[in-house]
Amino acid sequence: MTIRKVPIEHLDPVRLLGLNDANLRQIESTLPVRITLREGTITVAGEEEAVGSASRTLHELVELAERGKVIEEADVATALGLARRNGDPPGRLASAYDGAPGFSFDRKTVRPRTPMQAEYLKALQEREVVFAIGPAGTGKTYLAVASAVQALRHKQVERIVLVRPAVEAGESLGFLPGDMQEKVDPYLRPMYDALADLMSYDKMRRYVELGVIEIAPLAFMRGRTLHNSFVILDEAQNTTVRQMKMFLTRMGLNSRAVITGDITQIDLRDPDSSGLVRIQGILGPIRDIRFIYFHPEDVVRHRLVRDIIRAFDQYHARQNGKTEDGVGTSLDPDAAESEAAREVVQPPPGEPSDSGARGSSL
């Protein structure tokens, strides 16, 4: 039995531990340790390796709380991932937030809630073309819209153009009533929702009527040149390579482009034709273009969304026999187990594959 203590008497326990010590319970549910809090000191008990991981996690969270951050579920998940890797220098979680911008709007203040969101916001400030790839609920679109509104307020751009491909998610919407705008509105509703969360309805409506904010399907972009604009292409996994090229070449002078999508939710008939999948290899060598990759630990919706995404990743890995999810290295504490589930043993040359003899798994 190994016991380690972490003093926290200098911190607000609620900011560090969460409501009803929820952050401690999250660590306990992930690692085989027992954690208690008494008289301003956290005590961790268990086997040496697990206690070491839990202690490193707590030290990362303490340093983050010392910098004024309210610790959330996503912070705990990321700290657990860093602790599992063990080789990373301490303080990496807190340093990830250094220099990350925050925005204050009519209705709310927007700040990064995970280290990858902090990296994303910094990239949106520094680069003119940014790709954000990762699962649902990680703030890809919302933070891009927030950055666009901030740029408009500070007169860095003259308009915001929000674009989505009109691809149906397995459902036919072709017979919806109304004119063209009314037919495409259902596809664009998430864009309206993000804007409505940042500004009053009257201001949003006025900007839309004046053309300061334009929300349009991707097909309407052909032939245009967008100067002094902040352009966001959402759900980019449902574009083809040609559509992606068409969109990216719309950029004019003093314009920025943000492309977001989730390559695990492709609704095209041929998923391999997705422009977002192919573009990583095409534009990856261009230094001024930044790719940001989100992971399940960056999900800021309901905690179960993270578990659901992880379960689907493992399911698809078993189905497809892939060892890489296409979104880079994860800090997910369950990454090792997930990768183990994805491993496929390749037979020596000339020998038949075991999977062919056993048949495909359901």
Side-chain angles (χ1 to χ4, degrees), residues 23 51 116 124 126 141-142 145 178 195 229 253-254 267 329 360:
N23 295 335
V51 169
M116 195 54 66
L124 292 172
E126 299 167 358
T141 303
Y142 188 85
V145 172
L195 285 170
S229 302
L253 299 176
N254 189 39
D267 297 318
T329 303
S360 60

Side-chain angles (χ1 to χ4, degrees), residues 22-211:
N23 295 335
L24 295 184
R25 304 292 81 80
Q26 185 176 349
I27 297 173
E28 286 184 323
S29 67
T30 306
L31 298 171
V33 295
R34 178 174 175 77
I35 304 176
T36 57
L37 172 64
R38 183 173 297 175
E39 297 179 354
T41 300
I42 298 175
T43 302
V44 185
E47 297 299 324
E48 182 175 358
E49 183 177 354
V51 169
S53 294
S55 297
R56 287 191 295 271
T57 298
L58 287 167
H59 282 296
E60 290 282 351
L61 297 177
V62 165
E63 183 168 349
L64 190 57
E66 288 174 341
R67 300 192 186 194
K69 176 78 166 59
V70 177
I71 307 303
E72 303 183 51
E73 275 188 40
D75 296 314
V76 180
T78 305
L80 282 163
L82 291 170
R84 287 279 188 90
R85 291 166 66 167
N86 198 11
D88 291 313
R92 183 181 167 191
L93 179 59
S95 63
Y97 289 95
D98 289 345
F103 311 132
S104 295
F105 298 105
D106 297 345
R107 295 193 167 191
K108 67 188 308 181
T109 297
V110 175
R111 296 189 182 280
R113 296 176 59 185
T114 73
M116 195 54 66
Q117 285 192 350
E119 192 69 21
Y120 183 37
L121 283 174
K122 285 186 277 188
L124 292 172
Q125 299 292 301
E126 299 167 358
R127 302 295 178 91
E128 293 177 336
V129 178
V130 178
F131 287 81
I133 301 173
T138 51
K140 303 183 299 296
T141 303
Y142 188 85
L143 293 178
V145 172
S147 295
V149 174
Q150 179 75 357
L152 181 66
R153 292 174 60 191
H154 286 75
K155 303 187 185 305
Q156 296 171 342
V157 296
E158 295 178 357
R159 61 176 168 169
I160 299 172
V161 183
L162 307 175
V163 184
R164 265 194 166 207
V167 176
E168 299 157 357
E171 304 167 12
S172 178
L173 302 178
F175 296 101
L176 285 175
D179 58 20
M180 177 62 71
Q181 188 61 45
E182 291 172 325
K183 284 181 180 293
V184 300
D185 267 354
Y187 298 103
L188 308 176
R189 179 53 53 186
M191 299 287 202
Y192 288 108
D193 292 342
L195 285 170
D197 204 38
L198 301 173
M199 63 178 67
S200 68
Y201 175 77
D202 289 339
K203 180 181 289 188
M204 181 180 70
R205 184 179 62 180
R206 185 169 68 253
Y207 280 164
V208 171
E209 290 174 351
L210 294 173

